[in-house]
Amino acid sequence: MHFKRSWLATTVVLGFAMGHVVDQSLGRETVDPKTVSAPVDFDEHVLPILEDRCLYCHGEDEQESGLRLDRRAFMIKGGDSGLAAVVPGKPSNSYLIDVIRHLDPDVKMPPDDDKLPTEEIEVLQRWVEQGATWPDQMDDVIEDSVDLWSFQPVKRPTVPAVDATDSVNVQSAVHPIDAFLREKLFNHNLTMSDRADPRILLRRLSIILTGLPPTAEEIEAYLVAEAKDPERAYADAVDRLLKSPHFGERWAQHWLDVIRWAETNGSEANLYRKNAWVYRDYVIRSFNEDKPYDQFLREQIAGDSVGVGEAMGFLVAGPHVPAATVGREPSAIRQARADRLDEVIQTVGASVMGVTMGCARCHNHKFDPISIHDYYSMTAVFEDIEFGSRHPEYSPEHPVRQRGAEIWKSIAERRKELRATGGWEEDWGAYRELHFNPVTTTAIRLRFKMKNLFVDEIEVLGNEGLHDNLALASRGTKVSGFPEKGFQSRNPINRVNDGEYGTMIWRAKVEKGDEQPWVQFDFSKPETINRLRLSNNREYFYETDYLTRKPHLPRYEYDVDIRTEDGQWQPWVGTWVVNKKLNQEHPERRKLTKEIQGLIEQLAEEGPRPSFVGRLIEPAPTHVLLRGSPESPRDEVAASGPKALAGDLQLTFDDPGPKRRRAFADWIASPDNPLTARVMVNRIWHHIFGSGLVTTTSDFGNAGARPTHPELLDWLAAEFVAPTKSGSEPKSWSVKHVVRLLVTSDAFRQSSHPREEAIAIDGGAQWLWRFPPKRVEAEVIRDTILQASGTLDRTLGGRSYRIHNVKETYAQWEVVDNYGAETWRRMIYQERMRRVDDQMFTAFDFPDCGQVRAKRPVSTTPLQALNLMNSDFVIDQSKRTADRATSEVGDAPAEIVNRCFQLLLGRNASAEEQQNCKELLKSGDVPLLCRAIINSNEFAFLQ
């Protein structure tokens, strides 16, 4: 905004036009109360203000902050803030009114001058209130064109017809991937390299597909088959490795990197996420089963609706700050909630969409067609997701649910026997559950026998539904009791039936001689009840593990009364009665209660268990937040995807959370979504060739890289969704189909040897004139060492193996055993901890899981060599590898050397290597030889 004439001249004009009276003695105008509601004429009253105050900075020639005020449609659109400058009929929602009234402390207009006169502000406000009428512009609409390449529909290009006479195997020239690549190579005066050595090629294929190199025996068998029929031998090797159960482990690791999955929350306390590993196992199974990618996405977003609840660990994979760290300040709680939802949006945006959605949290995206409204509309999709644990929803055929049903049947049989003799109590770790004979009543009362107690929730349960809490305030149940305000008035009694588990508790503390604490629940109608559950910070038990100090679950001592039809209170059951008196009267009860307790522990390990896959809560209204602050809510928005991607889900503000997520999942997994298939095939390409066709694999926006081969990228995306029917009849959205396409190409099978003339043209091999060599990941190094020594435990799935200590809540994790026999599984099953150095393979760029790692960095540091030479793990494994070699081939030095090379590199030692190893073996230090091989470039790099 800019002043071009004095405010006095303007107000004189306005004074006559609007009924304003100019007080010449005071030099300022007053407002005639009779004309406040008079109609505002745009040309006469509003336009002069805009011309004098606004259009110099926000007109046709210049638009500071992306805001243009010379056209009504641009006003309604707003500027970079993402907020509409004018919302016709709603001054309170119009950002222009806020800034000229100086209601926003950070943005005041004019920026360097005094506030506009009150009369001018009132004119603009009334104009907006009356509909913001602007002659000849009422029907104007801004049609935003989206020219970002990745937002355009995917169209299958025609495969180029190229001359492939440079190919060693002319028959493979029909491969569509090679056709696209050869066309680019030809345009850059390049050709592909010769076919790689069969031994090197098999190692490359095996590591990329399974994360494990081939054994010496597998290599020799392949070489025999390859000598007879190279194409058949290679095709069989591809089939075998795609069917390997280790394929899922390898490709799950890539997915977990992108979504930042870890088993700690990464905050100051960095607490362990209990049973988060069930999501990791889901991902491994999905890749092994070649689950269609669209189904894979739907399950991770809305798995609760299709019996795959553990898949939703995807949404809460990122870091978060737990409630205990946030504290109880309402503004801090609101900010933490907004931060957690942002973590969800970051996960979905980076992994599936390839869009940096978080950039639109405070204002419109600076580079991409993503508005602040788009960001909060996506946030609305996930309003029912909270970081935490729940019992995942399992389909009836799920093995975990079937095993749980068997155990529950055993529990029910023993409960039936116990019920004949009265009530009993069960300890479920997170809560204690009191069982008693069913009774129908309108109210119950718990009279506690202790003077100091902590309770986060009291649940009253009946026959209808295993977990249907009849005491919830949301069901209309009223709670009362003593002391009602709780300890120091900070822990009120209404927390015992608010449905929230955790640190928000009712604490009752009374002095000696005072009335004992009690709680009363009045139901909205008569209810039949048969159980009570009491807990103290149940959330902590469900969500965290491996702590020296956990919330104490006391044996609450209390009596329960029920209200009879005549309004009198009748004693019904008590903890002392069921735990002491009845057991004395019926000694056989002790055996049954002990058996039930054992089955409860068995169920927690083998059946459905609370797992860190997200809690489901009631969605709160979603508002656009000015500059991302929860203290500045603006317009309410409904759940949808980005407008530029046709993300309208046809949802209302009141639609429940599951419906929102199902609709979003259907949209994002649609064949018509231009990003989903492109992003995934590019990731697959990246993991096979070391760099994506779009090198910024999680940013397909204007700030990201353009594809090196755009036609090839779109051909692969189209083939992913609707594969060409030939040969094995691939299914839609098959990851293994795309992997097979890539690894059967000439591009993948060519040598990695450098060629001077090609390096001069394309030093980074982005046109793929050779296979780009690359260092293998930390997991490959570690798992290869275990395989060489013969100690690798190939068991799939299950709880992660421990390398860390049991700690106090706010202490740091410490590595206590990273090489013992309990750790000899594949590294994907190692506890994945944020902010923790495993003192060995973190040096090889293993991700911290705090940031999206679509592409791991590759560093070279002295610590890497030191770890591969002197760590306890390598020293121990080298000795075991040496023992294996000598036990298999005897005492002949040459045979020992060859066997060590075979186990670690998949080949015999050369003559020169044999000579160099002679002196070393004279001292009998075969383990040192193994350590030297492990430190070689050949061991750590993929050729």
Side-chain angles (χ1 to χ4, degrees):
M1 294 184 180
H2 181 70
F3 287 85
K4 293 194 294 185
R5 69 174 82 163
S6 71
W7 65 266
L8 181 59
T10 302
T11 51
V12 168
V13 174
L14 289 174
F16 288 111
M18 300 294 297
H20 292 185
V21 179
V22 179
D23 186 336
Q24 300 288 353
S25 63
L26 296 176
R28 60 172 179 257
E29 60 180 345
T30 60
V31 180
D32 184 346
K34 299 178 181 179
T35 64
V36 168
S37 60
V40 177
D41 182 275
F42 174 80
D43 290 325
E44 189 173 358
H45 306 143
V46 178
L47 185 58
I49 301 176
L50 296 178
E51 290 178 338
D52 285 355
R53 314 293 195 183
C54 309
L55 300 188
Y56 182 82
C57 297
H58 302 285
E60 182 178 4
D61 298 327
E62 181 178 354
Q63 299 95 39
E64 290 189 9
S65 300
L67 177 61
R68 186 171 173 178
L69 299 177
D70 65 324
R71 305 291 296 179
R72 184 177 187 269
F74 285 115
M75 281 187 165
I76 294 173
K77 178 184 177 183
D80 293 341
S81 70
L83 302 177
V86 167
V87 179
K90 298 181 179 180
S92 60
N93 291 357
S94 301
Y95 195 42
L96 174 66
I97 304 302
D98 281 5
V99 297
I100 64 174
R101 284 191 173 278
H102 292 193
L103 300 180
D104 184 344
D106 297 315
V107 181
K108 299 177 181 180
M109 290 293 154
D112 302 317
D113 297 291
D114 293 334
K115 186 177 178 181
L116 291 182
T118 301
E119 294 77 8
E120 294 187 10
I121 295 174
E122 294 298 330
V123 166
L124 293 174
Q125 178 164 326
R126 288 166 53 208
W127 174 66
V128 173
E129 188 173 13
Q130 293 172 17
T133 300
W134 191 322
D136 302 324
Q137 293 192 28
M138 297 305 291
D139 296 326
D140 286 0
V141 177
I142 297 175
E143 296 291 344
D144 290 324
S145 61
V146 179
D147 57 3
L148 179 58
W149 69 268
S150 59
F151 282 36
Q152 307 309 311
V154 175
K155 297 179 180 178
R156 186 191 291 264
T158 301
V159 178
V162 296
D163 181 5
T165 56
D166 64 312
S167 173
V168 171
N169 180 7
V170 177
Q171 182 183 355
S172 69
V174 298
H175 198 296
I177 290 175
D178 293 321
F180 284 103
L181 294 177
R182 289 182 190 282
E183 183 180 54
K184 283 282 188 180
L185 288 169
F186 178 81
N187 293 337
H188 290 83
N189 297 318
L190 291 167
T191 60
M192 284 190 181
S193 296
D194 294 338
R195 186 65 55 83
D197 176 84
R199 190 186 302 269
I200 291 174
L201 181 58
L202 182 63
R203 182 175 185 269
R204 178 192 302 171
L205 180 70
S206 184
I207 288 177
I208 285 178
L209 264 57
T210 69
L212 291 170
T215 65
E217 293 71 25
E218 288 171 339
I219 292 174
E220 291 308 312
Y222 174 74
L223 293 178
V224 171
E226 201 270 346
K228 297 178 181 178
D229 186 345
E231 291 302 313
R232 182 72 266 161
Y234 187 74
D236 289 344
V238 171
D239 288 343
R240 174 176 59 84
L241 293 169
L242 286 174
K243 293 176 182 177
S244 167
H246 301 307
F247 176 87
E249 293 172 325
R250 171 64 160 166
W251 287 79
Q253 187 68 66
H254 299 324
W255 184 256
L256 299 180
D257 277 3
V258 173
I259 67 171
R260 304 167 296 159
W261 180 83
E263 293 176 85
T264 62
N265 60 37
S267 66
E268 176 188 5
N270 204 18
L271 296 176
Y272 192 83
R273 292 177 167 179
K274 194 170 184 178
N275 296 328
W277 56 266
V278 303
Y279 170 74
R280 176 206 62 209
D281 283 6
Y282 159 82
V283 177
I284 293 172
R285 288 195 307 274
S286 295
F287 279 108
N288 273 335
E289 297 167 1
D290 197 21
K291 182 174 292 181
Y293 184 65
D294 60 338
Q295 179 184 343
F296 181 61
L297 295 181
R298 286 187 174 94
E299 290 177 352
Q300 292 181 94
I301 294 170
D304 54 324
S305 299
V306 291
V308 197
E310 77 269 38
M312 290 170 59
F314 164 75
L315 297 175
V316 292
H320 84 289
V321 177
T325 305
V326 172
R328 299 184 179 183
E329 175 63 35
S331 62
I333 292 173
R334 288 190 290 269
Q335 184 63 55
R337 170 63 176 165
D339 291 343
R340 292 194 297 273
L341 284 171
D342 183 64
E343 294 294 346
V344 177
I345 300 302
Q346 284 191 52
T347 297
V348 176
S351 63
V352 184
M353 301 172 64
V355 175
T356 53
M357 288 293 303
C359 296
R361 182 179 181 182
C362 302
H363 46 70
N364 289 346
H365 202 294
K366 294 294 185 182
F367 305 108
D368 302 333
I370 303 292
S371 70
I372 191 172
H373 280 81
D374 290 333
Y375 174 89
Y376 287 102
S377 293
M378 263 187 66
T379 299
V381 173
F382 304 105
E383 276 285 0
D384 70 328
I385 299 296
E386 183 56 276
F387 281 70
S389 292
R390 76 176 192 277
H391 280 84
E393 298 78 13
Y394 290 118
S395 60
E397 62 273 10
H398 197 292
V400 171
R401 182 168 173 181
Q402 290 179 346
R403 178 60 181 141
E406 295 173 2
I407 298 173
W408 270 114
K409 182 179 180 181
S410 298
I411 292 175
E413 291 171 351
R414 287 157 180 78
R415 282 179 171 178
K416 184 177 180 181
E417 291 186 55
L418 273 175
R419 197 168 287 112
T421 59
W424 70 95
E425 192 176 34
E426 298 171 354
D427 183 354
W428 285 81
Y431 56 83
R432 294 188 185 277
E433 187 169 276
L434 178 66
H435 291 247
F436 47 85
N437 291 325
V439 61
T440 301
T441 182
T442 58
I444 67 167
R445 179 182 293 167
L446 282 70
R447 293 180 285 109
F448 291 94
K449 299 184 177 182
M450 57 268 278
K451 296 185 177 295
N452 187 12
L453 70 152
F454 301 78
V455 179
D456 69 348
E457 199 75 6
I458 300 176
E459 294 180 86
V460 183
L461 306 155
N463 295 320
E464 301 297 329
L466 186 63
H467 304 289
D468 191 10
N469 181 11
L470 304 174
L472 282 174
S474 59
R475 294 179 63 108
T477 300
K478 306 296 183 183
V479 63
S480 57
F482 177 82
E484 185 174 346
K485 293 184 178 180
F487 182 65
Q488 296 181 346
S489 300
R490 293 183 301 179
N491 307 104
I493 199 169
N494 59 10
R495 288 180 175 167
V496 299
N497 71 333
D498 60 2
E500 292 292 327
Y501 313 127
T503 57
M504 298 301 186
I505 62 171
W506 172 54
R507 183 183 177 188
K509 185 177 181 181
V510 298
E511 300 299 327
K512 186 177 181 180
D514 288 346
E515 181 181 3
Q516 293 288 93
W518 57 272
V519 176
Q520 179 175 322
F521 295 107
D522 288 270
F523 306 122
S524 59
K525 61 182 180 63
E527 300 283 4
T528 300
I529 62 175
N530 63 5
R531 286 168 293 147
L532 295 176
R533 288 179 186 165
L534 278 72
S535 58
N536 172 31
N537 204 346
R538 193 182 312 183
E539 177 185 52
Y540 212 58
F541 179 87
Y542 280 156
E543 297 180 7
T544 67
D545 211 345
Y546 303 127
L547 298 177
T548 57
R549 297 180 183 178
K550 291 187 178 181
H552 175 58
L553 180 63
R555 182 176 290 282
Y556 299 100
E557 296 290 349
Y558 57 91
D559 290 322
V560 180
D561 303 330
I562 63 159
R563 187 160 59 198
T564 59
E565 291 184 0
D566 60 2
Q568 302 299 310
W569 289 102
Q570 174 185 341
W572 191 252
V573 68
T575 54
W576 181 85
V577 173
V578 302
N579 291 322
K580 299 289 180 61
K581 184 177 180 181
L582 290 179
N583 286 347
Q584 292 172 355
E585 296 175 356
H586 306 277
E588 69 277 11
R589 285 168 52 93
R590 297 183 184 276
K591 177 176 178 293
L592 291 171
T593 53
K594 185 176 181 180
E595 289 177 354
I596 287 178
Q597 205 59 48
L599 289 167
I600 289 173
E601 295 173 5
Q602 189 176 1
L603 184 67
E605 191 63 33
E606 301 175 19
R609 71 211 83 182
S611 305
F612 200 98
V613 294
R615 288 193 292 122
L616 300 178
I617 61 175
E618 193 66 26
T622 306
H623 294 269
V624 173
L625 303 181
L626 178 61
R627 283 189 296 283
S629 171
E631 306 312 301
S632 302
R634 306 292 296 196
D635 298 341
E636 185 176 359
V637 292
S640 74
K643 182 180 179 181
L645 290 166
D648 187 359
L649 305 180
Q650 301 295 312
L651 296 171
T652 69
F653 298 142
D654 300 324
D655 281 321
K659 182 178 179 180
R660 300 181 191 186
R661 288 183 284 104
R662 286 195 302 270
F664 183 83
D666 288 340
W667 167 78
I668 208 166
S670 167
D672 297 327
N673 191 306
L675 287 173
T676 307
R678 279 190 180 116
V679 170
M680 188 55 181
V681 297
N682 187 65
R683 291 199 191 285
I684 297 172
W685 187 281
H686 162 74
H687 293 306
I688 288 177
F689 288 104
S691 183
L693 296 170
V694 177
T695 55
T696 52
T697 52
S698 287
D699 188 356
F700 275 46
N702 284 310
R706 294 295 296 251
T708 56
H709 301 73
E711 295 83 9
L712 174 55
L713 178 63
D714 274 13
W715 187 90
L716 283 170
E719 179 69 12
F720 188 33
V721 174
T724 306
K725 299 300 181 182
S726 62
S728 59
E729 294 291 330
K731 60 187 178 183
S732 298
W733 296 98
S734 167
V735 170
K736 287 188 178 182
H737 171 56
V738 177
V739 171
R740 186 191 303 276
L741 272 174
L742 270 58
V743 299
T744 54
S745 67
D746 279 352
F748 179 81
R749 299 161 74 177
Q750 64 184 326
S751 168
S752 65
H753 290 165
R755 291 157 37 205
E756 290 186 9
E757 77 283 1
I759 289 176
I761 299 173
D762 179 23
Q766 67 169 326
W767 308 122
L768 287 177
W769 53 267
R770 67 165 175 161
F771 179 84
K774 58 179 180 177
R775 199 192 69 201
V776 298
E777 299 91 335
E779 296 92 331
V780 176
I781 295 173
R782 184 183 182 279
D783 296 348
T784 299
I785 293 173
L786 288 169
Q787 178 175 277
S789 70
T791 59
L792 179 62
D793 179 355
R794 295 173 181 261
T795 304
L796 268 67
R799 192 181 300 278
S800 302
Y801 65 81
R802 305 227 61 225
I803 66 172
H804 301 93
N805 62 322
V806 175
K807 73 180 187 73
E808 294 186 1
T809 301
Y810 290 99
Q812 298 301 308
W813 296 103
E814 298 176 4
V815 175
V816 293
D817 179 7
N818 59 6
Y819 72 96
E822 294 297 319
T823 73
W824 292 345
R825 301 185 65 199
R826 296 202 64 179
M827 192 174 171
I828 192 172
Y829 300 115
Q830 178 176 295
E831 290 172 332
R832 192 165 172 138
M833 317 282 271
R834 290 185 171 91
R835 298 175 47 228
V836 178
D837 186 344
D838 74 354
Q839 299 182 6
M840 190 163 22
F841 290 103
T842 302
F844 289 91
D845 307 301
F846 186 82
D848 178 67
C849 311
Q851 301 295 324
V852 170
R853 279 291 178 221
K855 183 176 183 178
R856 291 190 187 182
V858 178
S859 64
T860 302
T861 68
L863 189 58
Q864 294 168 351
L866 288 171
N867 285 348
L868 287 187
M869 183 60 75
N870 299 321
S871 66
D872 290 334
F873 173 79
V874 171
I875 290 174
D876 176 70
Q877 288 296 314
S878 294
K879 184 178 184 307
R880 294 176 186 278
T881 304
D883 291 343
R884 177 184 178 184
T886 54
S887 67
E888 290 178 352
V889 300
D891 299 329
E895 293 300 316
I896 291 175
V897 171
N898 275 339
R899 189 54 178 158
C900 289
F901 270 76
Q902 290 170 3
L903 292 173
L904 290 164
L905 298 181
R907 65 173 177 83
N908 288 332
S910 68
E912 182 181 3
E913 289 166 339
Q914 281 281 4
Q915 185 63 32
N916 292 336
C917 293
K918 264 185 181 179
E919 294 300 319
L920 183 62
L921 289 191
K922 285 182 180 179
S923 64
D925 200 346
V926 181
L928 183 57
L929 168 62
C930 294
R931 289 157 66 192
I933 297 173
I934 289 171
N935 270 272
S936 67
N937 280 343
E938 185 177 347
F939 182 83
F941 278 80
L942 201 62
Q943 300 180 61

